[in-house]
Amino acid sequence: MSAQDRLTDTLYGLGWSTVRKLPEPVAVRLGHAIADLAWKQRGKGVQRLESNYARVAPDAGPERLAELSRAGMRSYLRYWMESFRLPAWSKERIKAGFDPKDIHNLTEGMAAGKGVILALPHLGNWDLAGAWVTTALGIPFTTVAERLKPETLYDRFVAYRESLGMEVLPHSGGTAFGTLARRLRDGGLVCLVADRDLSASGVEVDFFGDTARMPAGPALLAQQTGALLLPVTLWYDDSPVMRGRLHPPVEVPESGTRAEKTSVMTQALADVFASGIADHPEDWHMLQRLWLADLDPAKGST
């Protein structure tokens, strides 16, 4: 393990061991302080976040974009502070920490016995939403996690999410799709963060007026298993409670090839994601390149 990897792993370990013990108001203030410091330093992540917000809010001037990126960093640190503390939260605190609208789309879908896929962007705190599902509804689910470096950090993430009642599969290795399909055929629940393709073989979609690539997995799983595909959006307000909405299902088109159906369904997901992000841009934690024009300027407009 490199020195940088050891440092990264140590810092995350300190987060989970120390932040979780802080009183909630202290953790909130610490999160704001760290976010503001990072924002003022304007590192690559902050610059990329602001660049992404410029696509989401094309009419925003420099002052508005700066406001958005500062609020975005505070929202991002709120995610981390909550995540570090979640394993120590009581069941009552988890249940009270999330208020989703239209939850019947999930519960009715699960009652139908054909499985449900929840697909969501990097909005709000998806770990808190997942903990709420396992705690408040008593529904276990399977998800996929990107392999992080160092490996010990990935192991921490897996152990953390499993402690919240999630089955976590590695993104790499090629076996995740088959396992997810089996869980759905058994009537289970699968949750996937689906606004950024990690495979370089995703589906091109129109996203805020330019081309991005999003994973094909949610649409393919729905086609292959007959499971319900539900988009989810999350957001924060000024309260300690995260808000969310479970949107109506994305239907499988009646005609077309598998690739054509996948394209239509993934675009439908992207449209719902875009609507939720446009309503709450500061809660979209996308500190990486997303649009093809940013990944490879030769493939899109600048």
Side-chain angles (χ1 to χ4, degrees):
M1 185 188 300
S2 69
Q4 180 63 41
D5 286 348
R6 283 197 298 272
L7 176 60
T8 301
D9 186 58
T10 299
L11 290 174
Y12 279 103
L14 285 172
W16 268 303
S17 63
T18 304
V19 173
R20 66 191 296 177
K21 299 175 183 177
L22 296 175
E24 194 153 340
V26 176
V28 170
R29 290 196 296 272
L30 177 61
H32 284 175
I34 295 172
D36 290 348
L37 178 62
W39 178 75
K40 289 176 182 176
Q41 291 178 337
R42 292 195 60 79
K44 288 183 178 180
V46 173
Q47 293 180 49
R48 175 51 50 190
L49 183 69
E50 199 164 294
S51 176
N52 289 338
Y53 286 160
R55 290 182 178 273
V56 173
D59 296 329
E63 186 174 332
R64 173 59 179 153
L65 287 175
E67 291 173 354
L68 273 177
S69 64
R70 185 186 185 196
M73 289 304 296
R74 284 192 166 198
S75 176
Y76 185 49
L77 262 294
R78 176 171 172 174
Y79 161 79
W80 279 111
M81 289 296 165
E82 287 178 346
S83 294
F84 286 145
R85 294 169 54 76
L86 262 176
W89 279 11
S90 67
K91 290 183 177 180
E92 290 70 27
R93 178 66 183 88
I94 291 173
K95 291 176 182 178
F98 182 39
D99 177 27
K101 300 179 184 298
D102 299 326
I103 194 67
H104 66 89
N105 285 322
L106 171 58
T107 54
E108 290 172 4
M110 292 300 295
K114 293 184 178 181
V116 174
I117 306 156
L118 298 181
L120 59 159
H122 286 80
L123 270 171
N125 189 338
W126 43 98
D127 286 316
L128 171 55
W132 187 90
V133 168
T134 60
T135 303
L137 301 182
I139 301 175
F141 65 87
T142 304
T143 189
V144 175
E146 178 182 1
R147 278 201 175 276
L148 302 171
K149 291 184 179 181
E151 192 74 15
T152 50
L153 178 57
Y154 172 77
D155 292 340
R156 285 182 187 272
F157 268 96
V158 170
Y160 155 62
R161 287 176 172 147
E162 287 179 341
S163 75
L164 300 175
M166 312 174 193
E167 178 188 21
V168 182
L169 307 176
H171 183 272
S172 58
T175 61
F177 187 90
T179 303
L180 295 173
R182 286 194 295 274
R183 299 292 183 269
L184 291 168
R185 290 194 185 99
D186 290 338
L189 176 63
V190 163
C191 299
L192 300 171
V193 180
D195 59 343
R196 178 169 170 253
D197 180 53
L198 298 174
S199 67
S201 61
V203 178
E204 291 189 4
V205 296
D206 179 81
F207 198 54
F208 290 102
D210 210 342
T211 304
R213 188 181 290 119
M214 295 188 180
L220 288 172
L221 284 167
Q223 292 176 62
Q224 187 164 315
T225 66
L228 204 64
L229 175 55
L230 300 178
V232 180
T233 54
L234 308 171
W235 66 92
Y236 292 126
D237 56 20
D238 294 331
S239 77
V241 180
M242 183 175 69
R243 313 297 173 175
R245 183 179 300 279
L246 286 88
H247 297 265
V250 172
E251 303 290 347
V252 178
E254 294 182 0
S255 61
T257 65
R258 184 171 73 167
E260 290 169 342
K261 292 178 180 180
T262 301
S263 178
V264 169
M265 295 173 72
T266 306
Q267 183 64 61
L269 281 179
D271 291 344
V272 177
F273 293 168
S275 177
I277 292 166
D279 287 342
H280 305 278
E282 68 279 3
D283 293 324
W284 188 41
H285 308 147
M286 185 56 66
L287 281 73
Q288 299 84 19
R289 298 176 187 270
L290 181 70
W291 282 269
L292 298 193
D294 296 331
L295 293 166
D296 183 353
K299 291 186 177 180
S301 61
T302 57

